[in-house]
């Protein structure tokens, strides 16, 4: 690298995960073995969603097949700062020998952007690129990506309700029909964060003549859109297998836990890429198609606050129960009645690297990049999670004020 000993981008306080509207602060470090002439030293911050895949097409004649490309791209933002020199300079600026630190600060948009994502057919990526433009020679570049997480709060009421479904199947063999195989399953709620476990309640009834085996799997569906077409990719993560169910027997799961690894949160606000999750409950049936159904769940970024997760019997002022609503929320007291000193401070979130691993963020125009260009997204992760079943209705006083407590491990 000649006179250039070090050229890198460093985030302040080692931070690499940001939320919308936050400041991305850091410095560009340059260490020279001798004086260097340059026109400018600039840094830019860019956010872009991009998809690409190919499909083989047949021409229907002797010319054979051809490959059709599908591409789409949305640029969320592109911001620049000049750290040294001038964009219109003549290249006579001299950066002296030694170590130099050039500080930068960019603000992320408050909306209109999506959570970082790396997939087989597309990505949502945010990065910084520093470029040292020198006269009469090639430019030096340094590139570094960071994670943006758009908050999805699973404490919202619509994510606290259970998801349930049931199915039945009758096996036929020639002219013989066996008894039905049926299943009913329910999750304890709809919204979760990585690191938590999904508590599954299920009933299995096997009135057939075959032995069946129950399974539960966390399924992810990635959908990519471009040119009026779509491409889908399915992945499965944690798998739980139950005991075999003999003919004529029934069995149940009571809060069977399905662990959620450090996966991408649900992405529902990007017009090019969508990421959805479901718990698939299936019964493996020998010699027949399996019986299976999906319970859609949402993977969020703001962990559950225990005080919010209370299955209460709704009660009217006259003492009558409301049978159709599964929850009861006490109205918030006026500000004058709140003792702010009694409200606990939530610990900072913890993060874990995505289970999909690292990717190379170098693009086709990123020649002469200095340093490592591998990047692994980081997502909110709940450590030391312990499932706590909701209290029995008889144990709940609907007139009492909820007691707030938090448990988290800071890493």
């Amino acid at each position: 690298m000649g006179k250039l000993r070090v050229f890198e981008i460093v985030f302040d306080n080692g931070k690499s995960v940001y939320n919308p509207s936050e400041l991305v602060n850091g410095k560009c470090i340059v260490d020279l073995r001798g004086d260097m002439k340059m026109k400018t030293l600039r840094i830019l911050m860019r956010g872009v969603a991009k998809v690409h895949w190919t499909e083989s097409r047949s021409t229907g004649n002797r010319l054979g097949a051809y490959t059709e490309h599908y591409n789409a791209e949305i640029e969320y933002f592109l911001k620049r700062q000049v750290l040294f020199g001038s964009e219109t300079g003549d290249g006579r600026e001299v950066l002296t020998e030694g170590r130099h630190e050039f500080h930068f600060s960019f603000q992320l948009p408050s909306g209109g952007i999506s959570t970082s994502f790396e997939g087989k057919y597309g990505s949502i990526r945010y990065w910084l690129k520093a470029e040292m433009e020198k006269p009469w020679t090639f430019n030096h570049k340094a590139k570094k990506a960071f994670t943006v997480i758009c908050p999805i709060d699973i404490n919202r009421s619509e994510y606290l309700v259970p998801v349930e479904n049931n199915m039945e199947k009758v096996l036929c063999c020639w002219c013989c029909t066996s008894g039905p195989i049926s299943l009913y399953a329910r999750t304890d709620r709809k919204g979760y964060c990585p690191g938590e476990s999904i508590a599954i309640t299920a009933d299995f009834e096997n009135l057939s003549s075959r032995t069946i085996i129950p399974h539960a799997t966390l399924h992810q569906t990635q959908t990519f859109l471009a040119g009026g077409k779509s491409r889908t990719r399915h992945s499965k993560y944690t798998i739980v297998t139950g005991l075999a169910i003999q003919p004529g027997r029934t069995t149940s799961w009571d809060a069977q836990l399905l662990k959620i690894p450090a996966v991408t949160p649900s992405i529902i606000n990007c017009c090019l890429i969508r990421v959805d999750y479901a718990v698939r409950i299936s019964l493996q049936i020998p010699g027949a198609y399996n019986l299976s159904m999906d319970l859609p769940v949402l993977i969020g970024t703001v962990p559950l606050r225990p005080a919010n997760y209370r299955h209460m019997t709704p009660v009217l002022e006259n003492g009558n129960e409301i049978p159709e609503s599964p929850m009861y929320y006490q109205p918030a007291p006026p500000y004058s009645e709140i003792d702010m000193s009694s409200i606990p401070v939530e610990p900072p979130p913890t993060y874990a690297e995505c289970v999909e691993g690292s990717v190379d963020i170098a693009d086709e125009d990123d020649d002469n990049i200095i340093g490592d260009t591998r990047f692994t997204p980081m997502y909110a992760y709940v450590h030391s999670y312990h499932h706590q079943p909701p209290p029995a209705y008889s144990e709940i006083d609907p007139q009492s004020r909820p007691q707030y407590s938090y448990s988290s491990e800071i890493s």
Side-chain angles (χ1 to χ4, degrees), residues 56-75:
S56 296
R57 303 291 186 191
S58 175
T59 59
N61 53 38
R62 287 179 295 177
L63 294 178
Y66 67 96
T67 300
E68 187 167 356
H69 292 259
Y70 292 89
N71 298 278
E73 181 176 313
I74 296 176
E75 185 175 77

Side-chain angles (χ1 to χ4, degrees), residues 51-55 57 68-72 121 226-230:
V51 299
H52 172 259
W53 75 86
T54 60
E55 294 182 6
R57 303 291 186 191
E68 187 167 356
H69 292 259
Y70 292 89
N71 298 278
Y121 304 114
K229 298 274 289 185
S230 65

